[in-house]
Amino acid sequence: MRSISIIGAGPAGLILGIGLVRAGYDVTLYSDRDPEAIRNGFVPSSAGLSFAGQAVEAELGLNTWDDRVQELEGVHFDVVAPGGDLVTTIEGPWHDGPWRCVDLRLKCVAWMAEFERLGGRVVVREITPDDLERCAADTDLTVVAAGKGKISSFFARDDEKCIFAEPQRNISMVVVKDHPGWVDAVGFAPLHYTKMLDVGEVICGTFLNTDEEPAVFLIFDAVPGSPMDRFMHVSSNEEQVEVSKQFVKECMPWEWERVKDMRLADPGAAIRGRITPTVRKPVAKLPSGALLTGIGDTLSTKDGIGGQGLNSAVKSGHHMLKAILDRGDKAFDAEWIQHTWDEFWNSYEQYADVFNNGLMMPVPVHQQKIFAAAAQNPELARKLFHCFSHPPSAFPWMVDPAAAEEVLAQVER
Ligand SMILES: Cc1cc2nc3c(=O)[nH]c(=O)nc-3n(C[C@H](O)[C@H](O)[C@H](O)COP(=O)(O)OP(=O)(O)OC[C@H]3O[C@@H](n4cnc5c(N)ncnc54)[C@H](O)[C@@H]3O)c2cc1C
């Protein structure tokens, strides 16, 4: 029986681990926190998962919360000028199926239990570089799925694939109760996205948090130095909710009624920080010469602006699962590792990365034209929103003005 070590019990590591134990592999999963610490800890993400991402979970029998979480049925996307005037609204359903947002604390704790039930071994330990040597010596393959953990920097930055050297946004997220959502205003449960030009993005939706009751997440992705950039020095999660209200009252007064009564969903229901979008090389060599590879945020870390990191993590865990199974008894050598990553990068991840990064850059004229047309044309709006669910569908028109003109011409025909 082939043996695999996985470092990190986040979604990428658990999707891979559960898939491998189901296939009869001997798998050890290392987690720096025990389930109780994860469940009672900080909320890491708004955890929006596309229909295709949910299909991966369903294939492994992990879609436990489908009936309990309110689906995000489509998108309501406002573009707002710096002074607060509405420039345009684009609205409509997803192209393929709804998104769902289930707290990763809930998922990861349940999935760790499922992994053990299926015969996997969980070791609670923060893995150090020295431990990596031991993992590599004891098992046929070591996969690092440690997200933004320090150990991920064992993999060298891939300068050719990185376009930013520093964070583009200062991020705040709170998960709250006593927020009514937007069904009354929009007519369906939306991913509610407000792009405030030169200021940042406010991204919200309904969410299932650790008490398995509905909540709402609000992300403030602030352009550094803008009026939204006021969260980095708050000293408690409760204060973060109050500062969120204050921002809405001052800069989005049309949303004030919705937020005025909101309160923190649980003590850990807030995060703040900054992320430098980073792509890393997929092969790392230990001093002994043993090789490691990575999945999820370890190899490609993104800002939360486009809801892509979890989707990529789930898909990269699944891609690695299939690659390991297809490899049979052959060696997990550097060529195989590179090929496995190249396949994922070329078919999916490069598009997710460029799409997500593009949301933090000035909107070029050809994209402005697409936005304006999509506001008038439901079919184009559907095509536009499909980019969130399946980023390859944004290409080439997202980066190529001539291709964008072709899309517009098709709409006019
Ligand atoms: C505000 C915000 C909102 C977001 N919203 C979305 C969204 O709506 N949709 C979406 O697709 N993405 C979203 N993301 C991104 C998404 O959450 C991440 O990309 C995703 O969680 C990455 O999964 P992962 O398994 O690779 O890593 P992680 O989820 O970070 O899991 C890594 C695990 O490894 C553990 N670990 C770290 N170091 C060690 C070590 N040395 N030893 C053992 N264990 C270790 C960590 O504790 C953690 O449990 C958002 C991100 C942010 C910041």
Side-chain angles (χ1 to χ4, degrees):
M1 193 197 299
R2 301 207 89 176
S3 58
I4 312 285
S5 298
I6 301 170
I7 318 301
L14 281 158
I15 291 279
L16 174 61
I18 289 171
L20 288 172
V21 285
R22 275 179 175 273
Y25 282 59
D26 174 12
V27 188
T28 306
L29 180 74
Y30 295 90
S31 172
D32 58 352
R33 294 170 297 158
D34 66 22
E36 207 188 328
I38 292 175
R39 195 185 168 90
N40 297 327
F42 67 95
V43 61
S45 170
S46 52
L49 195 60
S50 69
F51 199 59
Q54 294 165 50
V56 173
E57 293 184 347
E59 184 187 314
L60 295 168
L62 300 174
N63 53 333
T64 315
W65 299 273
D66 278 6
D67 298 338
R68 265 170 278 169
V69 57
Q70 184 181 32
E71 298 169 347
L72 300 186
E73 297 161 304
V75 185
H76 174 96
F77 191 101
D78 285 334
V79 181
V80 174
D85 291 341
L86 182 67
V87 176
T88 193
T89 295
I90 313 168
E91 195 176 89
W94 298 109
H95 184 78
D96 47 1
W99 281 47
R100 288 184 168 88
C101 304
V102 177
D103 199 319
L104 287 180
R105 294 172 294 177
L106 201 56
K107 280 189 174 174
C108 292
V109 168
W111 291 357
M112 279 166 93
E114 176 66 358
F115 171 77
E116 285 189 299
R117 190 187 69 77
L118 292 166
R121 200 168 31 255
V122 172
V123 176
V124 177
R125 179 188 174 96
E126 181 174 353
I127 293 298
T128 63
D130 285 348
D131 295 325
L132 286 174
E133 286 284 11
R134 218 162 308 130
C135 295
D138 290 348
T139 51
D140 295 311
L141 177 67
T142 300
V143 181
V144 181
K148 298 168 200 73
K150 247 192 311 186
I151 199 105
S152 293
S153 54
F154 218 81
F155 294 85
R157 187 175 191 272
D158 189 336
D159 291 329
E160 281 177 19
K161 292 188 167 76
C162 295
I163 59 165
F164 297 125
E166 54 189 31
Q168 301 300 297
R169 294 289 187 271
N170 290 337
I171 310 166
S172 162
M173 183 180 82
V174 290
V175 176
V176 297
K177 302 279 181 168
D178 294 336
H179 183 296
W182 296 266
V183 176
D184 61 324
V186 175
F188 60 87
L191 172 69
H192 197 274
Y193 204 114
T194 308
K195 183 164 189 65
M196 305 182 81
L197 300 169
D198 301 334
V199 174
E201 294 74 22
V202 183
I203 309 153
C204 316
T206 44
F207 184 87
L208 193 75
N209 84 310
T210 45
D211 63 10
E212 303 199 32
E213 295 291 338
V216 163
F217 72 85
L218 296 97
I219 299 174
F220 298 89
D221 229 32
V223 172
S226 75
M228 193 190 288
D229 185 12
R230 54 176 79 187
F231 294 95
M232 291 303 108
H233 300 297
V234 304
S235 55
S236 72
N237 292 347
E238 288 75 14
E239 186 189 346
Q240 198 170 331
V241 173
E242 292 312 310
V243 175
S244 308
K245 287 185 191 177
Q246 187 195 80
F247 172 77
V248 170
K249 194 172 192 179
E250 283 172 29
C251 300
M252 304 174 74
W254 59 91
E255 283 289 308
W256 170 244
E257 276 301 310
R258 270 173 227 288
V259 305
K260 68 181 177 23
D261 297 325
M262 68 186 189
R263 62 184 167 85
L264 204 59
D266 66 76
I271 44 165
R272 42 196 180 270
R274 342 173 53 214
I275 295 169
T276 303
T278 304
V279 182
R280 298 184 183 280
K281 295 188 175 169
V283 188
K285 202 176 202 171
L286 293 166
S288 65
L291 301 178
L292 311 169
T293 190
I295 50 176
D297 272 14
T298 290
L299 292 191
S300 181
T301 314
K302 302 179 199 61
D303 189 281
I305 193 168
Q308 294 304 313
L310 172 63
N311 281 283
S312 286
V314 164
K315 287 174 186 166
S316 93
H318 191 244
H319 182 79
M320 181 60 74
L321 169 64
K322 284 193 291 180
I324 291 173
L325 299 184
D326 287 349
R327 191 67 174 162
D329 290 331
K330 294 198 203 116
F332 298 120
D333 53 24
E335 196 183 334
W336 172 82
I337 293 176
Q338 186 67 50
H339 175 73
T340 301
W341 171 244
D342 288 345
E343 261 183 349
F344 184 61
W345 176 263
N346 291 334
S347 63
Y348 184 85
E349 185 58 19
Q350 61 167 321
Y351 302 109
D353 188 61
V354 173
F355 171 69
N356 208 67
N357 287 337
L359 293 172
M360 294 184 284
M361 291 153 84
V363 186
V365 172
H366 67 278
Q367 288 180 17
Q368 290 175 26
K369 287 187 190 168
I370 296 264
F371 284 11
Q376 308 300 324
N377 184 301
E379 202 39 52
L380 186 57
R382 197 182 271 258
K383 195 179 173 82
L384 185 66
F385 297 146
H386 193 46
C387 306
F388 285 92
S389 299
H390 186 62
S393 72
F395 295 81
W397 64 261
M398 186 178 170
V399 291
D400 177 358
E405 289 300 337
E406 183 56 33
V407 169
L408 291 167
Q410 280 169 13
V411 170
E412 282 155 17
R413 251 177 240 146

